[in-house]
Amino acid sequence: MAVGIETSTDDSAIPDDMFRPPVNRAMRVLDRTFFQKRIPLCAARIQDNKNISKIRSQLERSRDVLQLERIAAVRFDPTDQNHVRKCVLLKPEIREGDSSTWSSELRDLAKEEQLHVIPYELHLGYDYWTYYDIMRSILPENDMDEIPSGFSLVGHVAHLNLREQYLQYKHLIADVIVDKNPGVKTVINKIDDVGEENEYRTFKYEVLAGNGDMNVEVREAECVFRFDYSKVYWNTRLNTEHERLVEMFKEGEAVCDVMAGVGPFAVPAGKKHIFVKANDLNPDSYESLVDAIKRNKVDSFVEPYNDDGREFIRSSTALLLQTEGYVDVNVQSTTSNKTDRQKGQKTATKRIHRPKNFSHFVMNLPATAITFLPSFSGIYAGHEKLFTPYTETPLPIVHVYCFSTKSDDNAEEKIKICQEISNYLGFEMTPNTADMDICDGPENPSSAQPTTMTAANGSAPNGIVGSDHFSPYRSDGKLYGFVCVVTGATQPIGKAIAHELASHGAACVYACTSTPSEDYEQLADDINRDHPNTKIIGYPYKLTAEEDTLSLIDDILNAWGRLDVWVTSSGLLGPPSVADTSPSDLLKCFEANSMAPFFALKYAPPAMAKTTPKGSYPNAAPKDQKYGSIVVVSSVASTYGGCWGPCFTMSCHAALGVVRAGVAALKGTGVRINCISPGQIDVGVDLNAFDMRGMSSQLPPASLQGEKAQKENIGLERAGLPQEVGRVAGFLASGFSSYITGANLVVDGGASTMSPLTLPI
């Protein structure tokens, strides 16, 4: 692990030089006996030891007590040879014979003879002072700003990277590190750059202090690794990167770790029941990898290899394609019966089948990993049908690490990295290429910068697969980078849709209603509790006003540069009968149920055609071609009458008309348009409080039919839930529906199939 030595320059804990160690800037060999100091203080001798705690508390409140880290305030009375009576150290300002330096509390206690102020000589030695204290008393004053303040701890070895100005003090620094860190037995200093000249990623070093033993044991991710640190590569600062990548792997997937080292990716992955073929060219790394696999009992999932990485990419892929297998793993018993557990109840097992393809390739060799990319050409040629669009299996992700400089936005660095990748692949890649992500490394500007790349299509000659198919959507249904609009977002169905889009990973959801007083903050809190990376923006506007719709789109493009999904879920029920319906009522229903979808059809597609690079916000992803999805939430009244009054039926038919007319209107835009027609949805409306004129509701209340009638008329014998409509909207927004447009998905539990008139009035 990376260890930080205390580097605070805050002097509040040490009031002045009287508590600092003595200074010797000529010291070159550590002399521990030099660091001694005797400090004249006063102490409060407690007459009765039973009162120590009480009196100490009083003196602490009056700020008379000496309060310094690592110095015990309560000491034995120096004049008591029997070491029975105790005293409390007082701050330096207090003088024995000058009661004007005492607080009123101290004077009162002395007057009551509960204590006496006596002289006390405090002795401080080398063990008291910290590494930082000692270094500040040895190093030149002009080097105080950047005192070496950290090291990598690999087992019992402290690994330093000292700057040139500190090399003359290297043995002093190392000796103090050993003294002040009980777990450190050996201190080394690197004297070359890792990975730049040595293909095994080992480095030259010098032993500065300790016994020089480089055989270490390291624990990471609940795994144990043993290796000779002088012969293999290990970087403690990469532990979070190891965790990040392993977290991406799913149980039952297969991973190819091309430069596995001693197994910091492979072994924890094996613990998660992930099949790993782990390779390293270094024979010593291979031996330690074999040991780690056995020691951590993951040999059923992790296979070690000692091959050339370029050949291993091709041979391991071919081998996995040709072999089948499975592993039976124990499933922890869920019984709560203590007696059954004590009797040795049989543990259930689960069978995990090994796939025929890799889901991830990992290449953690920053100096040269990019040069291995040509080895991927054609590795799955002839096996295209293993992947999308023929199956639900996405193409493998290749994680490539490289060295790079660092700037404020890394824009130039990303372009250079992509140019280098393009040169080796023979196919142009840019920072905006779909499913490509370049992220900062875990270290400083001279460290590895990981690049995560997905081979998403076969457009490049001799590509990973030979398919000409391309979809801008992710095959896993995720909506990373997507900016979405949901109208009616504070109504039950609109809320459920906003939740669903967030669960798909949308970057932003504009939650829109026509009422400015809606509780958008509560909606955002509810969604972000489960999906903190999705930004929820409350946006009240008049849904049926053309200029308001255009203003919303302008605001979205100014803020995000893109628009991807538009869901209209803001219908109006209207009066239940012809007699109760006025022309004004009819107009309001048409505006709410069909005008809002029309504005979405007319104005959203040009905004959805905008492309953008990857942003710097959570769940960001680039958009490098035009696409989008419009979803109209209507009702089963869109296809037949009798569900409610004429306003509702007529305007819902018009909404479905917008969808069906939209298919031809949207040809060539990459935008799909679909309709959802819910039946009886339980939105929690109390029938007794329901507005029977329907001028404040989206759908008829499910409670219009009793439970008995629902069982008779609905195939699934119940009303639906808003979440079930929301899931359909998520489906239509995502790549799961990439070949669906112009459809009307009826969500009514089979009621319209059994009997169209499910809500007799």
Side-chain angles (χ1 to χ4, degrees):
M1 59 181 171
V3 176
I5 303 170
E6 179 189 351
T7 59
S8 172
T9 57
D10 182 4
D11 292 343
S12 60
I14 300 180
D16 53 43
D17 287 344
M18 70 185 302
F19 291 99
R20 296 195 183 282
V23 174
N24 183 350
R25 306 202 186 281
M27 186 179 292
R28 292 297 180 269
V29 177
L30 182 62
D31 180 4
R32 297 170 181 84
T33 62
F34 173 79
F35 297 98
Q36 307 288 332
K37 203 165 195 179
R38 295 186 179 275
I39 303 171
L41 297 172
C42 287
R45 176 198 293 154
I46 311 301
Q47 291 300 104
D48 188 343
N49 283 352
K50 294 179 181 179
N51 296 327
I52 289 176
S53 179
K54 175 184 174 182
I55 293 176
R56 176 182 177 176
S57 296
Q58 288 180 264
L59 295 178
E60 285 178 344
R61 286 194 296 271
S62 62
R63 298 185 178 180
D64 289 303
V65 177
L66 176 69
Q67 294 184 327
L68 287 177
E69 292 183 2
R70 305 182 307 283
I71 292 182
V74 177
R75 303 291 182 101
F76 284 111
D77 182 349
T79 64
D80 183 0
Q81 300 298 323
N82 297 321
H83 295 292
V84 174
R85 185 174 293 172
K86 293 186 178 180
C87 62
V88 178
L89 297 184
L90 301 176
K91 61 184 181 182
E93 295 88 343
I94 294 175
R95 298 289 180 264
E96 177 190 3
D98 185 0
S99 61
S100 66
T101 62
W102 305 359
S103 69
S104 58
E105 287 84 352
L106 181 59
R107 285 195 295 269
D108 290 343
L109 290 169
K111 186 176 181 181
E112 296 168 2
E113 296 189 351
Q114 295 192 53
L115 59 79
H116 293 283
V117 176
I118 62 172
Y120 188 99
E121 188 176 68
L122 177 65
H123 176 223
L124 298 180
Y126 175 78
D127 291 341
Y128 165 71
W129 286 292
T130 66
Y131 164 88
Y132 186 75
D133 294 332
I134 300 297
M135 287 297 103
R136 198 163 66 168
S137 69
I138 296 174
L139 298 180
E141 289 183 299
N142 57 357
D143 286 335
M144 291 299 177
D145 292 338
E146 297 182 357
I147 291 177
S149 58
F151 55 85
S152 296
L153 185 61
V154 182
H156 61 263
V157 176
H159 178 182
L160 297 174
N161 288 302
L162 292 176
R163 296 185 179 182
E164 185 175 356
Q165 67 263 37
Y166 297 111
L167 291 179
Q168 59 181 316
Y169 308 103
K170 59 188 178 183
H171 293 290
L172 273 173
I173 292 170
D175 285 338
V176 178
I177 286 176
V178 171
D179 290 341
K180 302 302 180 180
N181 295 272
V184 174
K185 305 301 180 185
T186 299
V187 180
I188 64 172
N189 183 49
K190 185 183 72 173
I191 56 178
D192 69 356
D193 293 323
V194 179
E196 292 191 355
E197 297 179 0
N198 189 320
E199 62 179 344
Y200 292 163
R201 293 182 288 180
T202 56
F203 58 92
K204 295 179 182 179
Y205 66 92
E206 56 181 338
V207 176
L208 301 182
N211 56 22
D213 180 14
M214 298 292 280
N215 291 292
V216 300
E217 178 176 293
V218 175
R219 296 177 181 270
E220 182 177 292
E222 299 183 359
C223 299
V224 179
F225 302 90
R226 290 184 180 176
F227 50 85
D228 184 337
Y229 187 39
S230 68
K231 296 180 179 179
V232 306
Y233 175 76
W234 181 273
N235 190 334
T236 57
R237 290 186 172 90
L238 292 176
N239 64 318
T240 54
E241 179 63 14
H242 299 154
E243 292 175 3
R244 182 190 74 84
L245 212 57
V246 173
E247 184 66 26
M248 295 177 63
F249 306 157
K250 298 176 183 177
E251 183 180 73
E253 288 185 337
V255 172
C256 181
D257 193 351
V258 184
M259 302 93 173
V262 301
F265 289 114
V267 176
K271 289 260 190 180
K272 288 181 61 177
H273 301 159
I274 294 155
F275 296 96
V276 185
K277 291 187 181 296
N279 174 72
D280 202 89
L281 183 63
N282 182 350
D284 293 297
S285 294
Y286 171 75
E287 289 183 9
S288 297
L289 174 62
V290 171
D291 176 80
I293 292 170
K294 293 179 180 178
R295 186 177 302 280
N296 294 282
K297 301 178 181 178
V298 293
D299 46 303
S300 296
F301 288 93
V302 184
E303 300 175 73
Y305 295 84
N306 182 211
D307 295 332
D308 174 77
R310 292 175 175 81
E311 177 56 33
F312 181 71
I313 292 170
R314 308 186 70 84
S315 62
S316 61
T317 301
L319 182 62
L320 192 62
L321 283 166
Q322 297 166 6
T323 57
E324 295 182 354
Y326 61 84
V327 176
D328 290 329
V329 298
N330 292 332
V331 179
Q332 187 174 3
S333 174
T334 59
T335 179
S336 60
N337 189 306
K338 182 176 180 181
T339 303
D340 288 346
R341 292 197 303 268
Q342 290 175 341
K343 289 180 179 179
Q345 183 181 15
K346 289 184 177 179
T347 304
T349 61
K350 177 173 64 172
R351 178 159 293 181
I352 302 176
H353 290 272
R354 184 169 58 231
K356 286 184 169 294
N357 61 278
F358 289 115
S359 296
H360 299 266
F361 289 86
V362 181
M363 297 200 296
N364 182 20
L365 185 63
T368 59
I370 287 180
T371 68
F372 286 66
L373 289 175
S375 300
F376 288 95
S377 295
I379 60 172
Y380 283 119
H383 300 279
E384 294 84 357
K385 291 189 176 181
L386 288 173
F387 306 101
T388 54
Y390 304 101
T391 69
E392 295 182 355
T393 303
L395 288 161
I397 300 174
V398 181
H399 305 271
V400 186
Y401 290 77
C402 65
F403 287 119
S404 174
T405 57
K406 190 177 181 66
S407 62
D408 290 340
D409 60 2
N410 284 336
E412 184 176 347
E413 287 82 358
K414 291 179 179 181
I415 292 172
K416 290 181 179 179
I417 290 171
C418 289
Q419 288 173 343
E420 190 173 0
I421 290 173
S422 301
N423 291 337
Y424 282 102
L425 286 179
F427 173 74
E428 184 178 5
M429 305 288 284
T430 73
N432 297 329
T433 299
D435 290 326
M436 181 166 180
D437 185 24
I438 301 177
C439 55
D440 288 339
E443 299 185 0
N444 55 41
S446 64
S447 69
Q449 180 173 359
T451 303
T452 303
M453 177 186 64
T454 301
N457 62 80
S459 300
N462 301 316
I464 285 183
V465 296
S467 172
D468 292 329
H469 169 77
F470 177 76
S471 170
Y473 294 100
R474 291 175 60 101
S475 59
D476 59 3
K478 292 297 184 182
L479 301 178
Y480 293 140
F482 277 39
V483 177
C484 311
V485 169
V486 178
T487 68
T490 57
Q491 297 299 313
I493 290 178
K495 285 182 181 178
I497 293 171
H499 271 275
E500 185 67 17
L501 295 175
S503 74
H504 280 256
C508 176
V509 176
Y510 278 76
C512 304
T513 71
S514 56
T515 308
S517 60
E518 294 287 358
D519 191 357
Y520 296 110
E521 186 174 340
Q522 183 61 49
L523 174 64
D525 289 344
D526 291 343
I527 294 176
N528 289 147
R529 191 177 301 115
D530 298 323
H531 312 292
N533 288 337
T534 298
K535 187 174 182 64
I536 306 299
I537 299 176
Y539 196 101
Y541 81 102
K542 189 176 181 181
L543 307 178
T544 58
E546 187 172 26
E547 61 274 15
D548 285 9
T549 303
L550 290 170
S551 294
L552 169 61
I553 293 174
D554 284 343
D555 287 347
I556 292 172
L557 293 181
N558 287 334
W560 302 87
R562 62 187 290 176
L563 175 63
D564 304 280
V565 175
W566 192 296
V567 183
T568 65
S569 177
S570 50
L572 188 62
L573 194 55
S577 68
V578 173
D580 294 329
T581 303
S582 68
S584 175
D585 295 334
L586 184 62
L587 180 60
K588 288 179 181 177
C589 284
F590 266 97
E591 285 182 339
N593 294 334
S594 55
M595 186 66 77
F598 170 72
F599 286 150
L601 170 63
K602 184 174 182 180
Y603 295 118
M608 291 176 174
K610 302 291 185 182
T611 58
T612 58
K614 182 183 177 183
S616 57
Y617 45 84
N619 284 359
K623 182 175 183 178
D624 60 359
Q625 66 174 286
K626 55 186 180 181
Y627 58 82
S629 178
I630 298 172
V631 180
V632 177
V633 180
S634 182
S635 163
V636 288
S638 64
T639 58
Y640 54 79
C643 292
W644 189 252
C647 283
F648 191 54
T649 301
M650 294 165 65
S651 56
C652 286
H653 271 65
L656 182 57
V658 172
V659 172
R660 288 177 171 166
V663 175
L666 294 173
K667 284 188 67 176
T669 67
V671 178
R672 301 178 295 112
I673 184 168
N674 293 285
C675 183
I676 301 174
S677 290
Q680 291 192 46
I681 304 299
D682 186 358
V683 294
V685 175
D686 183 357
L687 189 58
N688 294 326
F690 178 66
D691 172 21
M692 291 302 294
R693 276 190 49 77
M695 301 309 290
S696 60
S697 301
Q698 180 181 6
L699 295 172
S703 53
L704 278 175
Q705 279 195 341
E707 186 176 337
K708 181 179 179 182
Q710 289 178 354
K711 288 187 176 181
E712 290 178 353
N713 297 324
I714 301 176
L716 295 179
E717 299 183 324
R718 64 172 177 85
L721 298 174
Q723 298 95 310
E724 292 172 308
V725 181
R727 292 183 192 122
V728 178
F731 166 77
L732 290 174
S734 73
F736 291 150
S737 60
S738 59
Y739 198 60
I740 298 177
T741 191
N744 181 29
L745 300 189
V746 178
V747 185
D748 69 350
S752 57
T753 301
M754 295 184 63
S755 173
L757 300 181
T758 59
L759 287 177
I761 304 304

